Amino acid sequence: MTEQPPASPASPSDRFDDEDYPAYTMGRAAEMIGTNAAFLRAIGEARLITPLRSEGGHRRYSRYQLRIAARARELVDQGTAIETACRIVALEDQLEEALALNEQLRNRPSNPTA
């Protein structure tokens, strides 16, 4: 058995396209979605998003998490309670993932067993 060389780490420029890379501080994230840090903490407590932590313990958000947070903010701005908004957004996200998976399975080439 031949041993594979270790995979080279991704270059820093690869992170620009990674929507899951926690690139944004709490202050910057709040500014980007037009809210405040308290709102981000509240949706974190409601378990809608779980920001990663920097080595210093500071919250860091990804672009994906910011899209989720922005949708929750829209609902809250329309008068929806924050807990309800978080549940709605979580269900919308699950539905989107299920539809994407369904589409992948539908477009997968079939394997005849004969």
Side-chain angles (χ1 to χ4, degrees):
M1 174 182 263
T2 307
E3 194 170 310
Q4 296 288 334
S8 63
S11 72
S13 64
D14 290 341
R15 296 178 182 152
F16 293 128
D17 295 327
D18 184 357
E19 72 171 12
D20 294 318
Y21 182 72
Y24 304 99
T25 63
M26 179 179 274
R28 181 68 178 129
E31 179 184 318
M32 288 175 71
I33 63 171
T35 191
N36 54 42
F39 178 80
L40 291 173
R41 281 192 294 276
I43 63 174
E45 289 170 12
R47 298 178 193 243
L48 177 62
I49 59 174
T50 304
L52 293 176
R53 299 282 182 151
S54 68
E55 289 181 17
H58 300 282
R59 291 174 178 90
R60 297 287 183 167
Y61 297 88
S62 68
R63 287 185 300 164
Y64 171 76
Q65 290 174 323
L66 293 183
R67 279 199 310 277
I68 296 292
R71 176 65 179 130
R73 181 178 179 268
E74 288 174 11
L75 292 170
V76 169
D77 287 350
Q78 295 170 4
T80 306
I82 196 161
E83 295 82 15
T84 304
C86 289
R87 185 67 181 139
I88 290 169
V89 173
L91 290 170
E92 287 174 344
D93 193 49
Q94 289 172 3
L95 176 59
E96 185 178 320
E97 288 178 17
L99 291 172
L101 178 60
N102 191 20
E103 187 67 24
Q104 287 175 354
L105 294 173
R106 187 177 299 132
N107 293 327
R108 184 173 63 180
S110 60
N111 292 329
T113 58

PDB file of all heavy atoms in Angstrom, residues 8-31:
ATOM      1  N   SER A   8      -2.075  19.406   0.829  1.00  0.00           N
ATOM      2  CA  SER A   8      -1.558  20.744   1.111  1.00  0.00           C
ATOM      3  C   SER A   8      -2.694  21.610   1.633  1.00  0.00           C
ATOM      4  O   SER A   8      -3.826  21.487   1.193  1.00  0.00           O
ATOM      5  CB  SER A   8      -0.949  21.351  -0.145  1.00  0.00           C
ATOM      6  OG  SER A   8      -1.941  21.502  -1.132  1.00  0.00           O
ATOM      7  N   PRO A   9      -2.411  22.470   2.595  1.00  0.00           N
ATOM      8  CA  PRO A   9      -3.462  23.320   3.124  1.00  0.00           C
ATOM      9  C   PRO A   9      -3.969  24.272   2.052  1.00  0.00           C
ATOM     10  O   PRO A   9      -3.241  24.640   1.137  1.00  0.00           O
ATOM     11  CB  PRO A   9      -2.782  24.072   4.272  1.00  0.00           C
ATOM     12  CG  PRO A   9      -1.321  23.958   4.019  1.00  0.00           C
ATOM     13  CD  PRO A   9      -1.116  22.724   3.194  1.00  0.00           C
ATOM     14  N   ALA A  10      -5.224  24.648   2.175  1.00  0.00           N
ATOM     15  CA  ALA A  10      -5.805  25.581   1.216  1.00  0.00           C
ATOM     16  C   ALA A  10      -5.083  26.920   1.317  1.00  0.00           C
ATOM     17  O   ALA A  10      -4.677  27.339   2.388  1.00  0.00           O
ATOM     18  CB  ALA A  10      -7.285  25.763   1.507  1.00  0.00           C
ATOM     19  N   SER A  11      -4.931  27.553   0.191  1.00  0.00           N
ATOM     20  CA  SER A  11      -4.279  28.855   0.210  1.00  0.00           C
ATOM     21  C   SER A  11      -5.243  29.884   0.787  1.00  0.00           C
ATOM     22  O   SER A  11      -6.456  29.721   0.718  1.00  0.00           O
ATOM     23  CB  SER A  11      -3.853  29.254  -1.196  1.00  0.00           C
ATOM     24  OG  SER A  11      -4.977  29.602  -1.967  1.00  0.00           O
ATOM     25  N   PRO A  12      -4.709  30.950   1.365  1.00  0.00           N
ATOM     26  CA  PRO A  12      -5.585  31.971   1.937  1.00  0.00           C
ATOM     27  C   PRO A  12      -6.585  32.536   0.931  1.00  0.00           C
ATOM     28  O   PRO A  12      -7.693  32.881   1.295  1.00  0.00           O
ATOM     29  CB  PRO A  12      -4.607  33.050   2.416  1.00  0.00           C
ATOM     30  CG  PRO A  12      -3.333  32.321   2.660  1.00  0.00           C
ATOM     31  CD  PRO A  12      -3.305  31.229   1.623  1.00  0.00           C
ATOM     32  N   SER A  13      -6.214  32.610  -0.348  1.00  0.00           N
ATOM     33  CA  SER A  13      -7.140  33.157  -1.337  1.00  0.00           C
ATOM     34  C   SER A  13      -8.337  32.240  -1.567  1.00  0.00           C
ATOM     35  O   SER A  13      -9.387  32.696  -2.019  1.00  0.00           O
ATOM     36  CB  SER A  13      -6.413  33.436  -2.654  1.00  0.00           C
ATOM     37  OG  SER A  13      -5.930  32.234  -3.212  1.00  0.00           O
ATOM     38  N   ASP A  14      -8.214  30.948  -1.247  1.00  0.00           N
ATOM     39  CA  ASP A  14      -9.340  30.022  -1.388  1.00  0.00           C
ATOM     40  C   ASP A  14     -10.472  30.386  -0.430  1.00  0.00           C
ATOM     41  O   ASP A  14     -11.626  30.078  -0.678  1.00  0.00           O
ATOM     42  CB  ASP A  14      -8.915  28.578  -1.122  1.00  0.00           C
ATOM     43  CG  ASP A  14      -8.015  28.030  -2.209  1.00  0.00           C
ATOM     44  OD1 ASP A  14      -8.003  28.609  -3.323  1.00  0.00           O
ATOM     45  OD2 ASP A  14      -7.324  27.031  -1.944  1.00  0.00           O
ATOM     46  N   ARG A  15     -10.156  31.042   0.662  1.00  0.00           N
ATOM     47  CA  ARG A  15     -11.160  31.401   1.656  1.00  0.00           C
ATOM     48  C   ARG A  15     -12.122  32.463   1.150  1.00  0.00           C
ATOM     49  O   ARG A  15     -13.219  32.597   1.669  1.00  0.00           O
ATOM     50  CB  ARG A  15     -10.489  31.870   2.939  1.00  0.00           C
ATOM     51  CG  ARG A  15      -9.696  30.774   3.594  1.00  0.00           C
ATOM     52  CD  ARG A  15      -9.014  31.275   4.830  1.00  0.00           C
ATOM     53  NE  ARG A  15      -8.215  30.221   5.413  1.00  0.00           N
ATOM     54  CZ  ARG A  15      -7.139  30.424   6.130  1.00  0.00           C
ATOM     55  NH1 ARG A  15      -6.741  31.642   6.400  1.00  0.00           N
ATOM     56  NH2 ARG A  15      -6.468  29.412   6.627  1.00  0.00           N
ATOM     57  N   PHE A  16     -11.727  33.237   0.142  1.00  0.00           N
ATOM     58  CA  PHE A  16     -12.600  34.277  -0.388  1.00  0.00           C
ATOM     59  C   PHE A  16     -13.881  33.691  -0.967  1.00  0.00           C
ATOM     60  O   PHE A  16     -14.923  34.336  -0.936  1.00  0.00           O
ATOM     61  CB  PHE A  16     -11.893  35.107  -1.455  1.00  0.00           C
ATOM     62  CG  PHE A  16     -10.759  35.938  -0.918  1.00  0.00           C
ATOM     63  CD1 PHE A  16      -9.516  35.870  -1.507  1.00  0.00           C
ATOM     64  CD2 PHE A  16     -10.927  36.772   0.171  1.00  0.00           C
ATOM     65  CE1 PHE A  16      -8.462  36.632  -1.029  1.00  0.00           C
ATOM     66  CE2 PHE A  16      -9.892  37.541   0.664  1.00  0.00           C
ATOM     67  CZ  PHE A  16      -8.654  37.467   0.062  1.00  0.00           C
ATOM     68  N   ASP A  17     -13.805  32.493  -1.503  1.00  0.00           N
ATOM     69  CA  ASP A  17     -14.962  31.862  -2.112  1.00  0.00           C
ATOM     70  C   ASP A  17     -15.706  30.929  -1.164  1.00  0.00           C
ATOM     71  O   ASP A  17     -16.746  30.398  -1.523  1.00  0.00           O
ATOM     72  CB  ASP A  17     -14.538  31.067  -3.356  1.00  0.00           C
ATOM     73  CG  ASP A  17     -14.002  31.978  -4.449  1.00  0.00           C
ATOM     74  OD1 ASP A  17     -14.492  33.124  -4.558  1.00  0.00           O
ATOM     75  OD2 ASP A  17     -13.100  31.551  -5.184  1.00  0.00           O
ATOM     76  N   ASP A  18     -15.189  30.724   0.020  1.00  0.00           N
ATOM     77  CA  ASP A  18     -15.784  29.795   0.983  1.00  0.00           C
ATOM     78  C   ASP A  18     -16.853  30.508   1.801  1.00  0.00           C
ATOM     79  O   ASP A  18     -16.545  31.323   2.662  1.00  0.00           O
ATOM     80  CB  ASP A  18     -14.696  29.230   1.901  1.00  0.00           C
ATOM     81  CG  ASP A  18     -15.209  28.182   2.868  1.00  0.00           C
ATOM     82  OD1 ASP A  18     -16.432  27.916   2.892  1.00  0.00           O
ATOM     83  OD2 ASP A  18     -14.380  27.629   3.613  1.00  0.00           O
ATOM     84  N   GLU A  19     -18.116  30.200   1.527  1.00  0.00           N
ATOM     85  CA  GLU A  19     -19.201  30.886   2.232  1.00  0.00           C
ATOM     86  C   GLU A  19     -19.316  30.457   3.693  1.00  0.00           C
ATOM     87  O   GLU A  19     -20.018  31.087   4.466  1.00  0.00           O
ATOM     88  CB  GLU A  19     -20.533  30.699   1.520  1.00  0.00           C
ATOM     89  CG  GLU A  19     -21.130  29.333   1.619  1.00  0.00           C
ATOM     90  CD  GLU A  19     -22.546  29.281   1.074  1.00  0.00           C
ATOM     91  OE1 GLU A  19     -22.982  30.235   0.422  1.00  0.00           O
ATOM     92  OE2 GLU A  19     -23.204  28.273   1.318  1.00  0.00           O
ATOM     93  N   ASP A  20     -18.616  29.404   4.079  1.00  0.00           N
ATOM     94  CA  ASP A  20     -18.648  28.938   5.463  1.00  0.00           C
ATOM     95  C   ASP A  20     -17.447  29.413   6.289  1.00  0.00           C
ATOM     96  O   ASP A  20     -17.350  29.113   7.468  1.00  0.00           O
ATOM     97  CB  ASP A  20     -18.723  27.403   5.508  1.00  0.00           C
ATOM     98  CG  ASP A  20     -20.037  26.900   4.952  1.00  0.00           C
ATOM     99  OD1 ASP A  20     -21.091  27.506   5.264  1.00  0.00           O
ATOM    100  OD2 ASP A  20     -20.027  25.910   4.209  1.00  0.00           O
ATOM    101  N   TYR A  21     -16.527  30.146   5.670  1.00  0.00           N
ATOM    102  CA  TYR A  21     -15.350  30.630   6.387  1.00  0.00           C
ATOM    103  C   TYR A  21     -15.765  31.777   7.316  1.00  0.00           C
ATOM    104  O   TYR A  21     -16.368  32.757   6.875  1.00  0.00           O
ATOM    105  CB  TYR A  21     -14.274  31.098   5.406  1.00  0.00           C
ATOM    106  CG  TYR A  21     -13.031  31.569   6.110  1.00  0.00           C
ATOM    107  CD1 TYR A  21     -12.185  30.662   6.728  1.00  0.00           C
ATOM    108  CD2 TYR A  21     -12.716  32.919   6.194  1.00  0.00           C
ATOM    109  CE1 TYR A  21     -11.051  31.088   7.404  1.00  0.00           C
ATOM    110  CE2 TYR A  21     -11.579  33.352   6.865  1.00  0.00           C
ATOM    111  CZ  TYR A  21     -10.760  32.431   7.460  1.00  0.00           C
ATOM    112  OH  TYR A  21      -9.646  32.853   8.132  1.00  0.00           O
ATOM    113  N   PRO A  22     -15.457  31.675   8.599  1.00  0.00           N
ATOM    114  CA  PRO A  22     -15.877  32.702   9.567  1.00  0.00           C
ATOM    115  C   PRO A  22     -15.011  33.959   9.502  1.00  0.00           C
ATOM    116  O   PRO A  22     -14.127  34.174  10.320  1.00  0.00           O
ATOM    117  CB  PRO A  22     -15.734  31.977  10.907  1.00  0.00           C
ATOM    118  CG  PRO A  22     -14.627  31.000  10.681  1.00  0.00           C
ATOM    119  CD  PRO A  22     -14.763  30.558   9.243  1.00  0.00           C
ATOM    120  N   ALA A  23     -15.295  34.802   8.546  1.00  0.00           N
ATOM    121  CA  ALA A  23     -14.431  35.938   8.260  1.00  0.00           C
ATOM    122  C   ALA A  23     -14.837  37.238   8.946  1.00  0.00           C
ATOM    123  O   ALA A  23     -14.042  38.162   9.009  1.00  0.00           O
ATOM    124  CB  ALA A  23     -14.396  36.175   6.749  1.00  0.00           C
ATOM    125  N   TYR A  24     -16.057  37.313   9.460  1.00  0.00           N
ATOM    126  CA  TYR A  24     -16.576  38.589   9.921  1.00  0.00           C
ATOM    127  C   TYR A  24     -16.713  38.651  11.437  1.00  0.00           C
ATOM    128  O   TYR A  24     -17.281  37.758  12.052  1.00  0.00           O
ATOM    129  CB  TYR A  24     -17.939  38.874   9.275  1.00  0.00           C
ATOM    130  CG  TYR A  24     -17.853  38.835   7.770  1.00  0.00           C
ATOM    131  CD1 TYR A  24     -18.247  37.710   7.066  1.00  0.00           C
ATOM    132  CD2 TYR A  24     -17.333  39.916   7.060  1.00  0.00           C
ATOM    133  CE1 TYR A  24     -18.140  37.662   5.686  1.00  0.00           C
ATOM    134  CE2 TYR A  24     -17.222  39.874   5.684  1.00  0.00           C
ATOM    135  CZ  TYR A  24     -17.638  38.741   5.003  1.00  0.00           C
ATOM    136  OH  TYR A  24     -17.518  38.701   3.645  1.00  0.00           O
ATOM    137  N   THR A  25     -16.222  39.737  12.006  1.00  0.00           N
ATOM    138  CA  THR A  25     -16.382  39.963  13.438  1.00  0.00           C
ATOM    139  C   THR A  25     -17.843  40.300  13.720  1.00  0.00           C
ATOM    140  O   THR A  25     -18.617  40.610  12.807  1.00  0.00           O
ATOM    141  CB  THR A  25     -15.523  41.147  13.905  1.00  0.00           C
ATOM    142  OG1 THR A  25     -15.987  42.332  13.233  1.00  0.00           O
ATOM    143  CG2 THR A  25     -14.051  40.923  13.641  1.00  0.00           C
ATOM    144  N   MET A  26     -18.219  40.258  14.981  1.00  0.00           N
ATOM    145  CA  MET A  26     -19.592  40.567  15.345  1.00  0.00           C
ATOM    146  C   MET A  26     -19.977  41.981  14.909  1.00  0.00           C
ATOM    147  O   MET A  26     -21.051  42.190  14.341  1.00  0.00           O
ATOM    148  CB  MET A  26     -19.818  40.404  16.843  1.00  0.00           C
ATOM    149  CG  MET A  26     -21.238  40.751  17.251  1.00  0.00           C
ATOM    150  SD  MET A  26     -21.532  40.531  18.993  1.00  0.00           S
ATOM    151  CE  MET A  26     -21.957  38.806  19.008  1.00  0.00           C
ATOM    152  N   GLY A  27     -19.110  42.939  15.144  1.00  0.00           N
ATOM    153  CA  GLY A  27     -19.411  44.315  14.764  1.00  0.00           C
ATOM    154  C   GLY A  27     -19.605  44.476  13.272  1.00  0.00           C
ATOM    155  O   GLY A  27     -20.548  45.130  12.818  1.00  0.00           O
ATOM    156  N   ARG A  28     -18.709  43.887  12.502  1.00  0.00           N
ATOM    157  CA  ARG A  28     -18.809  43.962  11.037  1.00  0.00           C
ATOM    158  C   ARG A  28     -20.038  43.214  10.551  1.00  0.00           C
ATOM    159  O   ARG A  28     -20.746  43.694   9.659  1.00  0.00           O
ATOM    160  CB  ARG A  28     -17.541  43.395  10.399  1.00  0.00           C
ATOM    161  CG  ARG A  28     -17.544  43.453   8.905  1.00  0.00           C
ATOM    162  CD  ARG A  28     -17.460  44.897   8.403  1.00  0.00           C
ATOM    163  NE  ARG A  28     -17.427  44.872   6.954  1.00  0.00           N
ATOM    164  CZ  ARG A  28     -18.231  45.591   6.188  1.00  0.00           C
ATOM    165  NH1 ARG A  28     -19.092  46.427   6.708  1.00  0.00           N
ATOM    166  NH2 ARG A  28     -18.143  45.501   4.877  1.00  0.00           N
ATOM    167  N   ALA A  29     -20.326  42.054  11.121  1.00  0.00           N
ATOM    168  CA  ALA A  29     -21.499  41.268  10.731  1.00  0.00           C
ATOM    169  C   ALA A  29     -22.774  42.058  10.998  1.00  0.00           C
ATOM    170  O   ALA A  29     -23.664  42.128  10.144  1.00  0.00           O
ATOM    171  CB  ALA A  29     -21.517  39.945  11.482  1.00  0.00           C
ATOM    172  N   ALA A  30     -22.880  42.669  12.163  1.00  0.00           N
ATOM    173  CA  ALA A  30     -24.066  43.463  12.506  1.00  0.00           C
ATOM    174  C   ALA A  30     -24.220  44.628  11.536  1.00  0.00           C
ATOM    175  O   ALA A  30     -25.328  44.905  11.058  1.00  0.00           O
ATOM    176  CB  ALA A  30     -23.948  43.960  13.946  1.00  0.00           C
ATOM    177  N   GLU A  31     -23.117  45.284  11.228  1.00  0.00           N
ATOM    178  CA  GLU A  31     -23.153  46.407  10.284  1.00  0.00           C
ATOM    179  C   GLU A  31     -23.627  45.947   8.907  1.00  0.00           C
ATOM    180  O   GLU A  31     -24.434  46.614   8.263  1.00  0.00           O
ATOM    181  CB  GLU A  31     -21.750  47.006  10.191  1.00  0.00           C
ATOM    182  CG  GLU A  31     -21.625  48.161   9.225  1.00  0.00           C
ATOM    183  CD  GLU A  31     -20.181  48.636   9.116  1.00  0.00           C
ATOM    184  OE1 GLU A  31     -19.495  48.737  10.144  1.00  0.00           O
ATOM    185  OE2 GLU A  31     -19.748  48.902   7.972  1.00  0.00           O
TER     186      GLU A  31
END
